[in-house]
Amino acid sequence: MTDRSRLLISTDDLAARLGEPNLVVVDASWYLPTMGRDGAAEYAAERIPGAVRFDIDVIADPSSGLPHMLASAESFARAVGALGIGDGRSVVVYDGLGFFSAPRVWWNLVVYGAGDVRILDGGLSKWKAEGRPLDTGAPQPPVAATFTPMIDTGRIADLDAVVGVLASGAATVVDARSAERFRGEAPEPRPGLRGGHMPGAKNVPWTAVVDADGRLAADATLRAAYAGVDLDRPIVTSCGSGVSAAILWVALEALGVPRSRLALYDGSWSEWGASPSTAVATGP
């Protein structure tokens, strides 16, 4: 196990810290098209006081042809610096569902070397349910800061790396998509993708590690979700487009898996399912 305070912050603790000059609160809300919600519009309407918005479709690599791939170091540093996220700052990331897209932004920052980044456990939904303050006027422009990127390339897996670990057994690939999508029984939300999974991958749906109230589940629930995964071996997390794969990553760290044994397949099924060179399995 690990001290969750390294990964998460409670609504009580964030409320007590609002207004600190070294704190940057980040709205990371992003939704699947099927969810029928608009993260940018919701941020404009209401947000945790002082929050800036990190749009994973904007702070991304536009040249890859894949959704919200990790931006280049130069581009990332320029974009987050413009949001006021600078060297030595404390960052709290939240989203509108509670625990969905915030881990993806957390992962972006961690991979680029941000030292103090935590996710608001329960997110904006918990914050609002508790009647805490919200900003509803036009967002104030942030004061720019300097962010020095120090990328940890070992925490990022590309297509070749995933093909390699599946062939060699050097790491376990864990897929966060629903069981129906993993088995190839439900259609993929993005057109042109085959249904099924990478041969040899394990399925841990992200919903199995997040409680209904939008908080990271208790340790016992996490252990049950990962019952079929050897936590003493390297693990690569994957999903549809690299978002819920980050949820699995946070859950693994909460169970005490060292960050040095984790990687995230950034292209995930958006790349694998579209590639003519990759094998696809169906069924359990």
Side-chain angles (χ1 to χ4, degrees):
M1 306 309 147
T2 191
D3 178 4
R4 288 189 174 207
S5 67
R6 184 172 64 85
L7 305 167
L8 310 175
I9 187 171
S10 69
T11 50
D12 284 342
D13 287 346
L14 176 58
R17 293 190 58 188
L18 279 184
E20 289 184 4
N22 200 45
L23 176 70
V24 183
V25 181
V26 178
D27 186 316
S29 300
W30 175 87
Y31 304 102
L32 291 166
T34 55
M35 293 176 177
R37 295 178 63 173
D38 184 330
E42 291 183 15
Y43 169 78
E46 58 181 16
R47 70 209 77 88
I48 292 177
V52 297
R53 174 162 168 75
F54 187 122
D55 187 332
I56 63 172
D57 287 324
V58 173
I59 304 178
D61 177 7
S63 68
S64 71
L66 295 168
H68 35 256
M69 292 283 283
L70 190 69
S72 69
E74 180 181 2
S75 174
F76 186 86
R78 182 170 58 249
V80 301
L83 295 178
I85 302 173
D87 299 339
R89 299 282 172 89
S90 295
V91 182
V92 173
V93 187
Y94 73 87
D95 67 57
L97 287 178
F99 210 87
F100 180 60
S101 52
R104 172 68 191 193
V105 171
W106 173 91
W107 178 80
N108 271 253
L109 290 163
V110 164
V111 164
Y112 270 120
D116 182 9
V117 189
R118 289 185 284 172
I119 300 165
L120 180 62
D121 203 14
L124 184 61
S125 53
K126 187 172 189 293
W127 182 271
K128 290 170 62 176
E130 294 167 347
R132 299 188 186 274
L134 295 167
D135 278 349
T136 56
Q140 296 298 309
V143 177
T146 299
F147 183 88
T148 305
M150 295 176 287
I151 192 165
D152 186 352
T153 55
R155 310 284 67 79
I156 310 164
D158 61 13
L159 179 63
D160 289 341
V162 176
V163 169
V165 299
L166 286 169
S168 68
T172 303
V173 176
V174 183
D175 189 326
R177 292 175 302 150
S178 70
E180 294 78 13
R181 288 172 64 190
F182 182 85
R183 294 192 298 259
E185 298 168 357
E188 288 296 310
R190 295 175 179 84
L193 300 183
R194 294 167 291 170
H197 58 271
M198 305 164 204
K202 305 275 190 181
N203 185 212
V204 178
W206 70 269
T207 51
V209 302
V210 178
D211 285 340
D213 63 357
R215 301 179 68 189
L216 185 66
D219 286 348
T221 301
L222 299 185
R223 284 193 297 270
Y226 283 105
V229 179
D230 185 349
L231 301 185
D232 293 324
R233 301 181 67 249
I235 296 171
V236 177
T237 63
S238 181
C239 61
S241 64
V243 175
S244 54
I247 301 174
L248 294 191
W249 177 309
V250 176
L252 287 163
E253 283 208 34
L255 284 174
V257 177
R259 190 171 293 172
S260 60
R261 289 213 303 266
L262 297 174
L264 185 148
Y265 177 20
D266 203 14
S268 284
W269 198 254
S270 292
E271 181 175 41
W272 190 282
S275 173
S277 66
T278 54
V280 171
T282 55

